[in-house]
Amino acid sequence: MSIKTIFLDRDGVINNEVNYLHKICDFEFIEGVFDALLYFQRLGYKTIIITNQSGISRGYYTENDYQILNRWMLGKFNERGVKILDTFHCPHGPKSTCECRKPKPGMLKKAQVRHNIDMTKSWMIGDKEVDVQAANAAGIHNTILVRSGHLIDETNSSAKFFLDSIQQSIQVINF
Ligand SMILES: [Zn+2]
């Protein structure tokens, strides 16, 4: 049995965008994120986080800093009844030839194999065009860009939907 998944970018989607965020004290959940994810759970979706973390390769923070923040975030989700199936991060920089840094689909494809995900029934919610590009390259065509993170260029985007934040995504993902 394959599963359907909501893939989420982290910074700008789950939490307010802060450049090279790595401290718990700088992490602020975006309004409505818990309710939206609980709603998707009720619709039978799993949730997976897919995030570029080039601050690690740039030396702004360490892999361990990332893991500490990630565990804290997952704990907060857990307290609110939100289950996150998995998280994937790319620690590499823009000049790397890795297969994981978005817009490459490496993290999504790894998730697909690990969890037997039906990409045609899955969604990507991001705040950058690279999120949409990675999704499309991995066979996900249900894509949402939110305006709660980086400035997006809606006229030059291949995203299917544009919304103010993840809070509104419950109006679009309703099946
Ligand atoms: Zn990478």
Side-chain angles (χ1 to χ4, degrees), residues 123-124 131-132 135-136 140-145 158-161:
W123 289 76
M124 163 63 88
D131 296 315
V132 178
N136 288 341
I140 299 166
H141 296 288
N142 298 315
T143 53
I144 296 172
L145 276 185
S158 17
K160 214 176 236 184
F161 300 97

Side-chain angles (χ1 to χ4, degrees), residues 151-167:
L151 187 64
I152 53 178
D153 181 358
E154 298 181 23
T155 54
N156 286 305
S157 169
S158 17
K160 214 176 236 184
F161 300 97
F162 302 96
L163 302 171
D164 285 341
S165 82
I166 193 169
Q167 195 164 31

Side-chain angles (χ1 to χ4, degrees), residues 32-78:
V33 62
F34 296 108
D35 289 340
L37 296 186
L38 286 170
Y39 171 80
F40 300 142
Q41 259 173 225
R42 287 197 296 274
L43 293 181
Y45 286 95
K46 303 293 180 187
T47 302
I48 295 179
I49 298 167
I50 301 280
T51 177
N52 281 354
Q53 293 294 326
S54 70
I56 297 172
S57 81
R58 294 175 207 264
Y60 298 157
Y61 50 94
T62 65
E63 174 73 27
N64 193 46
D65 292 330
Y66 167 78
Q67 296 295 350
I68 289 167
L69 180 60
N70 193 49
R71 277 197 294 275
W72 175 85
M73 178 188 72
L74 294 177
K76 291 290 163 191
F77 276 127
N78 195 41

